Amino acid sequence: MFYSRQEFKINLYFPLLNPENYGRPKNFTMETVHLVIKGNVQGVYYRASAKEKANELGVKGWIKNSPGGQVEAMACGNKEQLEKFIEWCRRGPKYAEVSDIIVTTRDEENFNDFSIKK
């Protein structure tokens, strides 16, 4: 591809302005996981606390109460973000008592934010 001098200067000093450079860095991969959190996890501020933690870590997705007293979540982020989020989910907020967590890898999904579903 040939660039004019003006385009070359822009791409040299501002590489992100080049449409070919849009997107993620080459070594950056997003992963998506589905979580089922079991135990005393409803009515103890679990979902709101998880949303705060996800926002802090930059994780996107959703969380909701499921029938049977479980909490279900879908989370998308890089490996480090997800490891930290899952680690937090194993403990939960102060009054939660997590007895088990089932983590399933899913195909990558894109979310705009982390939300609480009703």
Side-chain angles (χ1 to χ4, degrees):
M1 178 178 275
F2 296 100
Y3 294 107
S4 68
R5 284 186 172 185
Q6 182 68 21
E7 289 173 324
F8 179 75
K9 287 180 183 177
I10 288 172
N11 288 331
L12 180 63
Y13 295 108
F14 302 101
L16 292 177
L17 294 178
N18 182 350
E20 294 173 8
N21 294 328
Y22 288 163
R24 303 179 193 131
K26 289 182 172 76
N27 61 353
F28 184 82
T29 58
M30 297 292 281
E31 298 177 16
T32 302
V33 293
H34 179 256
L35 308 173
V36 177
I37 301 109
K38 299 179 179 183
N40 181 26
V41 290
Q42 289 189 11
V44 292
Y45 199 62
Y46 195 99
R47 292 176 302 152
S49 297
K51 179 178 175 18
E52 289 174 10
K53 189 64 175 179
N55 289 338
E56 175 187 316
L57 295 171
V59 171
K60 310 291 185 203
W62 53 261
I63 192 162
K64 69 178 184 177
N65 284 338
S66 294
Q70 302 170 350
V71 169
E72 184 179 353
M74 189 76 75
C76 181
N78 66 37
K79 187 173 182 161
E80 182 180 343
Q81 290 170 318
L82 291 178
E83 285 175 355
K84 289 180 181 179
F85 184 69
I86 293 167
E87 181 182 318
W88 182 90
C89 287
R90 291 188 192 284
R91 293 185 318 273
K94 184 176 181 177
Y95 296 107
E97 295 174 13
V98 178
S99 62
D100 191 20
I101 183 168
I102 299 169
V103 181
T104 309
T105 303
R106 296 286 176 97
D107 290 336
E108 182 180 335
E109 291 190 40
N110 293 318
F111 301 99
N112 294 327
D113 59 5
F114 195 90
S115 61
I116 297 174
K117 287 187 172 185
K118 297 282 178 182

